[in-house]
Amino acid sequence: MVKLALHAAAVLLPLLLLQGVLTENLNLSPIEVVVENSLLGAAPLTYSTHVAYRGILIGALRRLMESNAGFTFTSTEHPDYGAYLESVNGLAGSDEDRTYWELLVRTPDGKIIRPDVGIGCYIPREKERIILRLSRW
Ligand code: B12
């Protein structure tokens, strides 16, 4: 009896794990993240990542950072507006220099929009290109 139960577990467990992996992947949509730093004259860097169904951008950025593709970011928490994107790839915006990481989005039909929410609230759609641009205010 015990042997039978162990055998069933050995067969079922990998199947359940595989199903979990597939379900998770089916809920992910591809997006691109472009880091632009024209203030320092650097060439744009493009990364690929995935966003969960109706998931927020910061989740996709974390996933990208954890994939070790060479992308890093840090954020701070504002009590009213949530996550503020503080630095990208080791470079922080600066109040003194009046620079910040601006969040822009290139939609699949080529329009560039400037979301009126930050990385903790923006919900990317499939095939959008997220642009993180070091800008001056
Ligand atoms: C000035 C300002 C900025 C300046 C702040 C410069 C500075 N250090 O002073 C700059 C240009 C950097 C900025 C950037 C952005 N901003 Co702004 N900003 C404002 C504004 C007009 C005034 C804020 C202020 O000075 N309040 C007075 C001080 C005393 O209060 P405070 O709490 O200390 O203010 C701080 C926060 O507001 C913070 N901050 C500013 N913008 C944002 C955005 C987010 C998402 C967070 C978490 C914090 C934050 O910076 C202020 C200074 O430290 C408000 C609108 C308003 N009238 O309140 C929008 C506002 C806060 N910003 C907004 C947005 C969306 C952005 C951006 C995401 C825009 C973009 N697409 O890039 C970016 C942030 C990107 C990032 N790196 O995460 C939204 C936030 C809405 C939301 N629910 O998320 C607001 C409400 C405007 C709007 N669309 O209605 N912003």
Side-chain angles (χ1 to χ4, degrees):
M1 193 62 184
V2 174
K3 218 172 163 187
L4 191 68
L6 283 175
H7 185 72
V11 172
L12 283 175
L13 198 64
L15 283 177
L16 288 172
L17 286 173
L18 182 66
Q19 196 199 15
V21 169
L22 290 177
T23 316
E24 198 187 325
N25 285 342
L26 286 176
N27 280 323
L28 294 175
S29 302
I31 55 165
E32 282 192 342
V33 175
V34 183
V35 176
E36 292 186 3
N37 182 357
S38 52
L39 292 182
L40 292 185
L45 295 169
T46 304
Y47 305 87
S48 300
T49 185
H50 291 87
V51 65
Y53 173 71
R54 300 291 294 160
I56 50 180
L57 175 58
I58 196 169
L61 295 181
R62 283 197 192 111
R63 187 170 285 115
L64 176 56
M65 183 153 68
E66 283 159 14
S67 74
N68 292 323
F71 171 87
T72 61
F73 78 101
T74 61
S75 62
T76 55
E77 203 62 24
H78 186 276
D80 294 304
Y81 303 124
Y84 182 83
L85 181 61
E86 181 186 48
S87 77
V88 175
N89 289 347
L91 182 63
S94 147
D95 279 2
E96 203 182 313
D97 300 338
R98 298 168 68 91
T99 57
Y100 75 109
W101 283 99
E102 185 176 19
L103 170 59
L104 301 168
V105 176
R106 189 174 195 274
T107 60
D109 58 2
K111 287 195 193 98
I112 305 271
I113 57 161
R114 185 177 189 268
D116 65 356
V117 292
I119 56 168
C121 296
Y122 186 70
I123 298 178
R125 287 167 200 272
E126 191 168 2
K127 297 199 178 119
E128 276 185 352
R129 185 177 287 202
I130 304 298
I131 302 168
L132 307 178
R133 178 182 290 169
L134 190 67
S135 303
R136 269 187 220 288
W137 79 75

